[in-house]
């Protein structure tokens, strides 16, 4: 089992609305296509001023290219050019939504384990590997 952090940018995608309204959804996979497996754990990170972890999820399908008309979250994309329908997506299922009390980037910088999340230091990707220790630490904080 591996652990991932998937980032969404609110300038292009209504991330919080999607988390709030969906139980599962496809997530763009730009890296690690051949390493992401069903059952892997995923932290959902929203970029921007309120950056942080807003949900805990699991992978329920391998990355695959989906027909644009079948992309379940297409209405959440505020910039259709960013949809990138030619790229693979993995279906994720939300396990825990942290919308009321996310783990904010500003707080994570002071956590001995989570301050080393790659997304904090180099936030220019969609998919990041995280360590088992980082995964467990989120569960310690948010169960």
């Amino acid at each position: 089992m591996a652990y991932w952090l998937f980032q969404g940018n609110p300038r292009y995608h209504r991330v919080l609305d999607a988390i709030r309204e969906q139980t599962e959804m496809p997530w763009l996979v730009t890296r690690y296509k051949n390493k992401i497996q069903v059952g892997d754990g995923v932290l959902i990170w929203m970029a921007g001023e309120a950056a942080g972890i807003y949900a805990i999820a699991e992978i329920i399908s391998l990355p695959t290219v989906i027909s644009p008309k079948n992309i379940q979250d297409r209405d959440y994309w505020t910039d259709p050019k960013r949809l990138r329908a030619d790229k693979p997506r993995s279906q994720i299922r939300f396990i825990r939504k942290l919308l009321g009390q996310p783990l904010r980037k500003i707080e994570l910088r002071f956590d001995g384990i989570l301050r080393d999340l790659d997304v904090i230091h180099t936030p220019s990707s969609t998919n990041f590997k995280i360590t088992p220790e980082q995964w467990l630490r989120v569960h310690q904080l948010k169960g």
Side-chain angles (χ1 to χ4, degrees):
M1 180 174 201
Y3 303 100
W4 309 97
L5 183 147
F6 288 3
Q7 178 173 221
N9 190 323
R11 287 187 297 182
Y12 313 119
H13 188 274
R14 295 183 299 117
V15 179
L16 298 183
D17 289 341
I19 293 170
R20 185 178 300 106
E21 296 167 7
Q22 302 296 316
T23 56
E24 56 184 61
M25 62 183 285
W27 206 279
L28 187 65
V29 174
T30 59
R31 303 190 306 165
Y32 307 111
K33 176 187 170 199
N34 296 323
K35 295 184 187 271
I36 294 171
Q37 298 294 314
V38 172
D40 287 354
V42 181
L43 301 178
I44 303 300
W45 180 276
M46 184 180 74
E49 287 184 30
I53 299 167
Y54 283 81
I56 301 169
E58 66 179 336
I59 300 288
I60 60 171
S61 75
L62 295 175
T64 187
V65 175
I66 302 169
S67 166
K69 65 182 179 180
N70 293 328
I71 296 176
Q72 177 185 344
D73 69 330
R74 69 179 297 117
D75 293 337
Y76 293 95
W77 288 86
T78 58
D79 181 352
K81 293 179 216 156
R82 305 292 283 197
L83 183 64
R84 300 175 75 183
D86 61 325
K87 299 292 182 189
R89 287 169 161 68
S90 274
Q91 190 77 3
I92 62 166
R93 177 181 300 128
F94 295 112
I95 296 169
R96 178 119 195 257
K97 298 177 181 186
L98 308 175
L99 297 171
Q101 293 185 329
L103 290 170
R104 302 279 300 271
K105 176 181 175 180
I106 195 162
E107 300 155 348
L108 297 178
R109 290 179 181 219
F110 298 102
D111 186 275
I113 296 171
L114 297 174
R115 69 177 172 216
D116 294 328
L117 288 168
D118 287 342
V119 72
I120 291 175
H121 306 288
T122 314
S124 61
S125 288
T126 301
N127 314 109
F128 299 84
K129 291 180 95 171
I130 64 169
T131 67
E133 293 78 21
Q134 291 166 332
W135 176 258
L136 289 173
R137 181 64 178 147
V138 169
H139 281 274
Q140 286 174 344
L141 295 171
K142 292 296 180 178

